[in-house]
Amino acid sequence: MTDQAPAAQTDSPEIPGKPVSASRTTLSHIMTHNDTNLLGTVHGGVIMKLVDDAAGAVAGRHSGGPAVTASMDEMAFFEPVRVGDLVHVKAQVNWTGRTSMEVGVRVLAERWNESAPATHVGSAYLVFAAVDADGKPRRVPPVLPESDRDRRRHQEAQIRRTHRLSRRRAILELREKRAAEGFDD
């Protein structure tokens, strides 16, 4: 006989949390002529691919297995990236739900041959869903913020999640209303 209270009935056992630092990563890449757009700067799509790659690595590390991009909430470009820039893509899990995670990404660029500080050239927020071998959602560990900055990012991620869900609800309601009015969109 044990002196512990019985566990609450749930569909699966509680997963222990992981600190933000357990999956935080940096991906670095030097930009070449193959990465440029018609203006001679690095194509935004090249930066977005690096962002998705780094965020995917973080999501997989945090969840302990495969994770797929569910959405990109925001991708902001602040400065152009040029050929010869060394780009550093820093990513971390900001928030977790039951099967999803928000990953925040900060993009920095510095000249490959200079020692000047890197410039913040972009930021993004992506949502990843953890999946099993059959592509079905699977539980993720809670994220454990470790610093005041991590706690701020966690709170901001909750705000973005609330906005995503509210926006989705409003769009579905509008579509239902238009369908009821006979519009075939």
Side-chain angles (χ1 to χ4, degrees), residues 10 15 35 42 52 55 57 60 62 64 68-69 71 84 86 99 107 116 118 120 124 139 152 160 170 173 183:
T10 61
I15 300 173
D35 302 317
V42 172
D52 193 45
H62 183 81
V68 296
T69 310
S71 70
L86 181 58
T99 62
V107 183
H120 183 195
R139 301 260 324 259
R152 176 187 54 81
R160 282 186 292 274
E173 288 170 5
F183 291 99

Side-chain angles (χ1 to χ4, degrees), residues 9-79:
Q9 293 293 333
T10 61
D11 57 352
S12 60
E14 189 63 31
I15 300 173
K18 285 187 177 179
V20 171
S21 61
S23 57
R24 186 180 284 140
T25 193
T26 300
L27 171 70
S28 297
H29 189 79
I30 193 157
M31 298 292 107
T32 69
H33 288 288
N34 293 334
D35 302 317
T36 59
N37 59 28
L38 296 175
L39 298 175
T41 56
V42 172
H43 196 287
V46 170
I47 301 298
M48 290 172 76
K49 168 106 173 58
L50 294 173
V51 163
D52 193 45
D53 288 347
V58 166
R61 281 179 170 184
H62 183 81
S63 69
V68 296
T69 310
S71 70
M72 180 179 273
D73 233 20
E74 182 178 320
M75 176 76 217
F77 297 98
F78 306 128
E79 299 284 337

